Amino acid sequence: MNTIEFQREVRRRQSAKKFQGVFAYRCRKSFWLFLNYGFGARQYCKAHPDEAWLVKRVHKPMCDWFQAQAVAWLETRGTKREPTFLLFLVPRGFGKTTSLTIAGSIWLQLQDPDISEFISSFSKEKSMDFLSVIQNVMAGNAGQALWKKFYGSWEPTTDSSREWSKSAAVHSHRRDSERKDPSFEAVS
């Protein structure tokens, strides 16, 4: 490779890295973009057309609604005394759990890595299944997700005191080391 080719390659890589940083930032600011790319729903549905549940006319408004609720809660949670309950009714098979419970929980951690979330379903085993998906994405082991490329692995290192089990997880990006409750806990 001559000098000119080398300089072009360096510029191409710098440009790609800059684009990646901008896109990671946009996914952090837009739950819809995060679901599609950071979480990998778009790529997953393209790779598995028989399981293609992501439908823009359904999921874009759902993501926008969820984001508005989440941002409002994040802004008022220190002063508001009333709990916030969210309910989104869509038929089975439209990815509510994948979009809101799993991807939404991960996206909330991008907004504030110190929050603690309960993952709840009809059984603790099912909640632990959801937590397992969250852990795979945050560790960078979800093949379709761009999470690791955008944000790195959030799995704690082996020398860390942070917990990463089947029923609870404290990720490596938590800033408040004094906080006792986990980042995620699977409950029934």
Side-chain angles (χ1 to χ4, degrees):
M1 177 182 293
N2 65 34
T3 305
I4 294 171
E5 291 170 337
F6 177 76
Q7 289 171 342
R8 283 185 189 144
E9 180 63 17
V10 167
R11 280 194 298 275
R12 185 192 67 76
R13 288 184 185 191
Q14 287 172 338
S15 178
K17 187 139 181 92
K18 185 176 181 181
F19 174 78
Q20 180 180 315
V22 168
F23 203 60
Y25 174 81
R26 292 201 55 215
C27 285
R28 186 184 301 253
K29 295 299 179 189
S30 166
F31 179 56
W32 169 246
L33 287 178
F34 176 78
L35 175 67
N36 277 267
Y37 301 101
F39 183 74
R42 185 171 193 263
Q43 295 91 324
Y44 179 87
C45 289
K46 276 187 173 181
H48 303 90
D50 54 319
E51 300 175 37
W53 54 265
L54 188 65
V55 179
K56 185 175 183 178
R57 68 182 166 77
V58 173
H59 292 90
K60 172 78 166 82
M62 180 179 78
C63 289
D64 292 346
W65 173 83
F66 175 80
Q67 180 174 336
Q69 303 305 312
V71 168
W73 174 76
L74 286 165
E75 290 172 352
T76 62
R77 67 183 177 200
T79 58
K80 188 178 169 188
R81 293 283 170 224
E82 305 290 318
T84 300
F85 297 98
L86 303 178
L87 176 66
F88 197 83
L89 295 173
V90 178
R92 290 181 59 84
F94 273 83
K96 293 181 303 290
T97 299
T98 301
S99 299
L100 300 177
T101 303
I102 298 172
S105 294
I106 298 170
W107 185 78
L108 280 171
Q109 294 292 325
L110 280 175
Q111 309 314 304
D112 182 354
D114 289 329
I115 64 173
S116 181
E117 302 180 61
F118 287 122
I119 307 298
S120 180
S121 188
F122 63 88
S123 71
K124 186 166 183 174
E125 289 73 28
K126 194 65 172 167
S127 300
M128 290 186 325
D129 289 345
F130 300 156
L131 177 59
S132 175
V133 175
I134 289 169
Q135 290 170 319
N136 278 330
V137 171
M138 294 183 91
N141 298 328
Q144 307 296 330
L146 295 175
W147 173 271
K148 190 170 189 176
K149 187 174 264 193
F150 287 171
Y151 311 109
S153 174
W154 285 31
E155 183 176 15
T157 58
T158 53
D159 62 342
S160 170
S161 64
R162 296 171 189 243
E163 182 180 6
W164 196 262
S165 71
K166 289 183 178 187
S167 62
V170 178
H171 58 70
S172 63
H173 282 60
R174 177 165 275 180
R175 298 171 299 215
D176 184 354
S177 59
E178 301 298 314
R179 185 144 195 180
K180 302 286 186 234
D181 45 345
S183 304
F184 302 100
E185 185 170 352
V187 298
S188 58

